[in-house]
Amino acid sequence: MSPTINDLWNGNICELEACGSLPHILQNENRLGAKIEKLRETLPDSHKKLFEQFLEAMYENNSDYAEEAFARGLSLGIRLCSEAWTQKAT
């Protein structure tokens, strides 16, 4: 197995973590966090549990979406490389 594939398989490469340090991502996360806190403060206690459940569902959905986008992007990249190598060989 190539070193890059091996590192990816073993979790030594995590582009999602690298994305978290990008300035525009950090700015968006900070802005979102501030809005969530502001909304949380305005909610009556009877609605806070539902709001937390909503946030958990949103985080889970975003995680699933990112995983699917990664898998499809990787698949597309592999297909493009395969086609390029096949055309170069002929």
Side-chain angles (χ1 to χ4, degrees):
M1 192 177 318
S2 77
T4 303
I5 293 174
N6 193 33
D7 282 344
L8 187 60
W9 177 259
N10 290 316
N12 298 328
I13 298 173
C14 185
E15 292 303 317
L16 190 58
E17 288 175 5
C19 290
S21 64
L22 295 172
H24 68 282
I25 300 291
L26 286 172
Q27 184 180 26
N28 288 342
E29 285 184 351
N30 290 337
R31 192 171 47 233
L32 180 60
K35 291 185 184 297
I36 287 172
E37 284 307 312
K38 189 173 183 179
L39 180 57
R40 192 178 274 134
E41 291 170 1
T42 64
L43 290 173
D45 289 339
S46 61
H47 293 132
K48 288 184 179 180
K49 183 176 180 179
L50 179 60
F51 182 62
E52 293 303 322
Q53 291 171 343
F54 169 77
L55 288 177
E56 287 176 21
M58 289 298 297
Y59 294 144
E60 185 176 333
N61 183 63
N62 288 344
S63 178
D64 290 346
Y65 185 85
E67 183 178 343
E68 184 64 27
F70 170 79
R72 288 174 180 247
L74 181 61
S75 177
L76 176 60
I78 290 170
R79 287 194 318 247
L80 287 170
C81 288
S82 174
E83 287 179 15
W85 288 326
T86 302
Q87 288 178 1
K88 186 177 180 181
T90 58

